[in-house]
């Protein structure tokens, strides 16, 4: 049985361990790596620590865990195993949170470096609810990261429409009729949905709107907690009286009761002329776990896609991020060719870019080696995938598939429905979805102006067949390799 004790009782030795670490590595590195580390539990032989991101975990594990283990043993006279986990902001018991004041951040933030503290909610003219999750008053919202604002969002071709719509919604004064309702943003991972949604929440409040930002998980958790504590009515009432409800990661909303509750809340808000802003990783029609009526209500507002960040935009984001890091870390200098190299070679999501710069910073600080192209290539090599899917073009896939099945490219794009053409076409769509970062609507357009649902159907069909048909799975592997090599 796990007999974890409350760590607050043992804060003494832990504080001493932290103090010694601070003295050994210096204040700046200590703040970068350990400011967000918490002591979660202590057992007879394990010290359980947690940090908010995978990046922090792997870095601390690789570089500091043995030292922490040794210091703990020296300070307490007992050697214990030190376990480090990535914490889930929702699952953690409140009693185990660190007592030290911390920046209010989203649980999804992947940056190891703290900047200035979050402004207090009362500073906003309106009311944006921002707090470290407590497990209690969930209707008051998920935490906002003060860095995710419209000002820090870099606009380019791929996201300009989403940015303009989000800004317009946030700047509409309280009481005025909502402009686009609901506003629904969708994109693949790391392309700025959360950034824009949090910017809407923050700016909305500054324009006098009562705004609540919730991740879908938090919405679910809030509702379940409210049911348990018999305060579901109060929970619903709170949500239905705000001006703007912002819900992130809608694809995670699951469960019949919750879905119904979401549906009622959505209808109540929309019918009451309140603004609703949502984001998910797919189109409303692809949220299969949601009721058909909810999907159509979501699709009835403004649906905008954030496309993969183009190279110019990646470079601008890197420059902005670098500027912030350079202000916080004296002596951290990244030459322009290195930023250009990163923009060209690491993935297409904002998270990859953050990760790459954080790695350069860490290497630079921990080894003292200046940032050069050679150093960067080495530091970020695990972020550069040799078979980077972005390099495969839909055209290459069409060519490879047409040749393999002895049909023409025109056949694949045509409306012909004979079996000799339908299956290769579905395979080509499947490859386009798995080997490129194109969205379903984009792929549909590239395949003779087809609807995204046709592409979705093809992808699912081939996915299902691959799971059961070994020969087809092998054939598709060969086609993948041919497309990657072309
Ligand atoms: N246009 C942009 N300008 C500045 N930063 C950006 C931009 N796009 C993405 N980012 C940054 O990239 C990181 C990932 O973005 P974000 O968390 O908003 O992605 P997401 O689309 O919500 O991803 P997920 O689907 O995984 O939730 C964040 O640090 C964000 O600030």
């Amino acid at each position: 049985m796990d007999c974890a004790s409350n760590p607050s009782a043992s804060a003494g030795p832990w504080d001493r361990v932290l103090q010694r670490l601070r003295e050994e590595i210096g204040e700046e590195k200590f703040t970068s790596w350990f400011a967000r580390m918490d002591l979660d539990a202590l057992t007879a032989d394990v010290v359980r620590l947690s940090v908010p991101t995978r990046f922090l975990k792997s870095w601390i594990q690789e570089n500091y865990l043995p030292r922490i283990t040794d210091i703990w043993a020296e300070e307490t006279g007992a050697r214990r195993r030190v376990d480090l986990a990535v914490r889930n902001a929702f699952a953690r018991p409140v009693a185990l949170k660190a007592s030290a004041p911390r920046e209010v951040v989203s649980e999804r933030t992947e940056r190891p470096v703290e900047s200035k503290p979050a402004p207090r909610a009362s500073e906003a003219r309106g009311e944006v609810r921002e707090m470290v999750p407590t497990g209690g008053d969930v209707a008051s919202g998920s935490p906002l990261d003060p860095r995710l604002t419209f000002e820090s969002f870099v606009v380019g071709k791929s996201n300009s429409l989403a940015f303009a719509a989000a800004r317009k919604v946030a700047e509409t004064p309280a009481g005025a009729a909502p402009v686009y309702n609901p506003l629904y943003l969708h994109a693949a991972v790391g392309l700025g949905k959360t950034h824009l949604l949090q910017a809407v929440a923050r700016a909305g409040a500054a324009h006098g709107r009562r705004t609540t930002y919730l991740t879908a998980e938090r919405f679910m958790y809030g509702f379940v907690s409210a049911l348990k504590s018999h305060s579901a009515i109060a929970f619903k009432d709170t949500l239905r009286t705000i001006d703007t409800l912002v819900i992130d990661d809608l694809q995670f909303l699951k469960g019949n009761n919750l879905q119904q509750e979401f549906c009622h809340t959505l209808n109540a808000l929309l019918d009451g002329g309140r603004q609703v802003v949502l984001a998910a990783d797919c189109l409303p029609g692809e949220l299969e776990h949601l009721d058909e009526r909810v999907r159509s209500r979501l699709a009835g507002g403004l649906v905008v896609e954030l496309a993969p960040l183009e190279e110019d935009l990646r470079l601008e984001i890197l420059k902005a991020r670098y500027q912030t890091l350079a202000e916080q870390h004296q002596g951290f200098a990244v030459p322009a060719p290195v930023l250009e190299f990163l923009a060209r070679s690491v993935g297409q999501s904002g998270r990859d870019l953050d990760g790459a710069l954080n790695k350069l910073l860490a290497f630079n600080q921990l080894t003292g080696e200046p940032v050069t192209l050679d150093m960067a290539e080495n530091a970020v090599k695990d972020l550069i995938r040799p078979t980077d899917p972005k390099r495969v073009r839909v055209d290459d896939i069409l060519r490879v598939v047409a040749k393999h099945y002895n049909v023409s490219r025109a056949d694949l794009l045509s409306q012909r429905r004979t079996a000799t053409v339908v299956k290769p076409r579905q395979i080509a769509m499947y490859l386009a979805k798995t080997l490129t970062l194109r969205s379903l609507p984009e792929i549909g357009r590239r395949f003779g102006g087809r609807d995204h649902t046709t592409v979705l159907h093809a992808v699912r069909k081939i996915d299902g067949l691959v799971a059961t048909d070994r020969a087809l799975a092998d054939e598709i592997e060969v086609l993948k390799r041919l497309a990657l090599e072309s």
Side-chain angles (χ1 to χ4, degrees):
M1 193 179 92
D2 188 357
C3 50
S5 64
N6 185 334
S8 57
S10 310
W14 178 237
D15 284 348
R16 291 201 300 279
V17 172
L18 289 178
Q19 187 50 33
R20 279 192 47 191
L21 259 180
R22 180 183 270 116
E23 283 159 13
E24 282 183 17
I25 65 175
E27 188 61 39
E28 193 178 14
K29 276 186 205 162
F30 180 84
T31 309
S32 290
W33 301 116
F34 298 106
R36 287 152 66 191
M37 174 187 269
D38 287 349
L39 172 61
D40 278 0
L42 270 179
T43 66
D45 42 23
V46 182
V47 181
R48 228 179 271 148
L49 305 172
S50 69
V51 284
T53 67
R54 272 182 319 217
F55 176 71
L56 272 179
K57 179 186 164 191
S58 67
W59 190 265
I60 292 173
Q61 209 151 27
E62 241 169 72
N63 297 282
Y64 294 104
L65 221 53
R67 187 63 198 131
I68 294 175
T69 312
D70 287 347
I71 302 182
W72 181 276
E74 287 162 24
E75 287 296 329
T76 61
R79 182 160 282 275
R80 298 184 192 196
R81 196 179 78 232
V82 179
D83 277 355
L84 182 59
V86 177
R87 65 177 160 261
N88 173 346
F90 301 109
R92 284 178 74 227
V94 184
L96 301 187
K97 271 204 292 129
S99 53
R102 291 187 300 171
E103 183 184 15
V104 178
V105 290
S106 151
E107 69 274 18
R108 308 148 42 100
T109 305
E110 293 260 348
R111 299 172 195 137
V113 182
E114 300 294 353
S115 59
K116 55 184 180 340
R120 298 160 65 93
S122 56
E123 286 169 10
R125 271 192 286 126
E127 183 193 349
V128 67
R129 294 108 189 271
E130 55 182 341
M131 49 186 265
V132 174
T134 60
D137 183 19
V138 178
S140 56
S142 299
L144 291 182
D145 183 334
R147 289 165 292 206
L148 303 183
T149 61
F150 285 128
E151 290 69 32
S152 64
F153 191 84
V154 186
V155 185
K157 219 167 59 204
S158 55
N159 59 21
S160 57
L161 186 58
F163 176 81
R167 187 151 212 162
K168 181 96 184 142
V169 160
E171 291 178 353
T172 303
V179 270
Y180 316 116
N181 210 14
L183 171 62
Y184 183 102
L185 305 181
H186 68 105
V189 294
L191 297 182
K193 299 184 292 292
T194 296
H195 192 137
L196 273 186
L197 254 54
Q198 293 213 6
V200 167
R202 186 172 291 279
H207 283 79
R209 306 180 71 91
R210 279 166 304 152
T211 303
T212 292
Y213 168 84
L214 287 168
T215 60
E217 277 173 313
R218 197 145 179 81
F219 175 85
M220 296 189 286
Y221 175 65
F223 186 62
V224 171
S225 309
L227 279 179
K228 277 194 192 141
S229 62
H230 308 290
S231 56
I233 294 179
F235 176 77
K236 292 181 208 177
D237 285 349
T238 311
L239 283 186
R240 288 173 196 179
T241 53
I242 55 180
D243 296 317
T244 308
L245 177 64
V246 184
I247 298 200
D248 202 355
D249 288 331
L250 197 57
Q251 70 274 10
F252 294 130
L253 191 85
K254 302 256 158 79
N256 271 345
N257 282 348
L258 289 160
Q259 202 197 108
Q260 264 177 22
E261 194 45 46
F262 171 72
C263 180
H264 291 151
T265 305
L266 182 71
N267 285 334
L269 286 168
L270 294 178
D271 296 341
R274 322 267 176 172
Q275 177 72 56
V276 179
V277 185
L278 308 129
D281 66 357
C282 57
L283 283 158
E286 292 160 26
L287 291 166
E288 286 179 337
H289 52 283
L290 285 188
D291 189 86
E292 178 55 38
R293 277 166 308 168
V294 182
R295 284 190 262 163
S296 87
R297 194 105 214 229
L298 295 176
L302 178 63
V303 177
V304 187
E305 182 180 16
L306 290 104
L309 307 169
E310 63 271 16
E311 191 176 323
D312 290 356
L313 182 53
R314 297 202 292 273
L315 184 57
E316 291 311 311
I317 293 175
L318 282 164
K319 283 183 186 164
R321 285 276 189 279
Y322 163 54
Q323 201 179 342
T324 310
L325 288 178
E327 280 162 15
Q328 291 166 342
H329 300 271
Q330 247 192 351
F332 179 53
V334 182
V338 172
L339 292 178
E340 284 155 18
F341 158 72
L342 296 181
R344 257 195 328 271
S345 354
V346 301
Q348 281 179 311
S349 94
R351 209 159 282 133
D352 294 330
L353 304 178
D354 283 348
L357 272 181
N358 284 336
K359 282 212 145 178
L360 292 192
L361 174 65
F363 266 61
N364 174 250
Q365 289 192 331
L366 298 169
T367 65
E369 200 185 321
V371 180
T372 59
L373 260 180
D374 279 353
M375 183 268 219
E377 270 170 15
N378 184 32
V380 302
K381 59 177 181 282
D382 57 329
L383 295 176
I384 301 170
R385 279 169 297 166
T387 53
D388 196 338
K390 71 180 185 286
R391 297 199 185 134
V392 181
R393 296 176 314 149
V394 174
D395 273 349
D396 296 332
I397 293 170
L398 286 168
R399 191 169 38 73
V400 165
V401 172
K403 186 160 174 225
H404 185 80
Y405 291 103
N406 201 19
V407 293
S408 69
R409 189 176 180 282
D411 281 337
L412 292 177
L413 303 186
S414 75
Q415 300 301 320
R416 281 186 55 203
R417 302 222 28 89
T418 50
T420 46
V421 175
V422 169
K423 192 153 175 205
R425 183 184 296 134
Q426 288 179 329
I427 289 174
M429 287 179 182
Y430 169 84
L431 290 174
K433 186 64 195 144
T434 47
L435 294 179
T436 77
L437 290 175
R438 305 251 168 240
S439 66
L440 295 175
E442 273 181 289
I443 295 172
R445 282 195 290 278
R446 302 290 191 107
F447 277 77
R450 289 181 153 78
D451 190 73
H452 71 273
T453 51
T454 310
V455 184
L456 184 64
H457 171 73
V459 172
R460 292 215 175 113
K461 170 130 191 247
I462 301 301
D463 227 2
L465 288 175
V466 163
T468 52
D469 183 342
R470 187 69 246 161
L472 181 69
D474 289 345
E475 202 167 307
I476 285 185
E477 263 321 297
V478 172
L479 289 170
K480 271 188 188 171
R481 251 175 277 140
L482 288 171
L484 285 164
E485 281 163 16
S486 55

